[in-house]
Amino acid sequence: MARTIKKLPMLPAERALKVISGRWKAVILYYLFDGPRRLSALKALMPGITQKVLIEQLREMEEHGLVGREIFAEVPARVEYCATHLGLSLEPILLALCQWGQHHADELNERERLADCIIKPRPPAEVPAN
């Protein structure tokens, strides 16, 4: 049974922010930009997230077309998550947000409080064309 997408805002910028908002969505996408990962692998990369929240965030991103889920017919069943073409299109946007956050911190003399950006520019040839 397909899930019904919750009504999203009509203003495009508000819609975009609603789809990518959340403490963990950008981090999850970052790790999926490199290829498919199992739930346990994602959890290991983000020790500060609970499994419940990770699953909720993945479901929301799947509902909005950013993440795909593949279930393999194995015993026990194996599930992998990957960034979809739509999700991969967010990579330059998330990089720009990271860079703007650094600029903002510089302007307020708070750069020493920031962590490094985890999203790094990548040559266009590395982005899959699916």
Side-chain angles (χ1 to χ4, degrees), residues 24 37 39-40 48 50 54 62 72 91 98 102 115 123 126:
W24 296 103
R37 295 193 189 263
L39 184 71
S40 58
T50 65
L54 176 57
E62 185 179 5
F72 294 88
E91 191 171 24
C98 184
Q102 289 174 326
E126 290 186 38

Side-chain angles (χ1 to χ4, degrees), residues 30 58 62 74 82:
Y30 166 75
L58 284 164
E62 185 179 5
E74 299 173 357
C82 64

Side-chain angles (χ1 to χ4, degrees), residues 6-22 25 64 66 90 93 97:
K6 295 175 189 164
K7 196 168 189 170
L8 291 170
M10 295 301 292
L11 184 65
E14 186 181 8
R15 180 186 184 102
L17 290 171
K18 178 75 173 169
V19 169
I20 64 170
S21 67
K25 286 182 182 174
H64 293 123
L66 305 179
L90 284 167
I93 295 164
L97 283 171

Side-chain angles (χ1 to χ4, degrees), residues 86-101:
L86 186 59
L88 289 168
S89 71
L90 284 167
E91 191 171 24
I93 295 164
L94 294 177
L95 174 61
L97 283 171
C98 184
Q99 291 168 338
W100 186 87

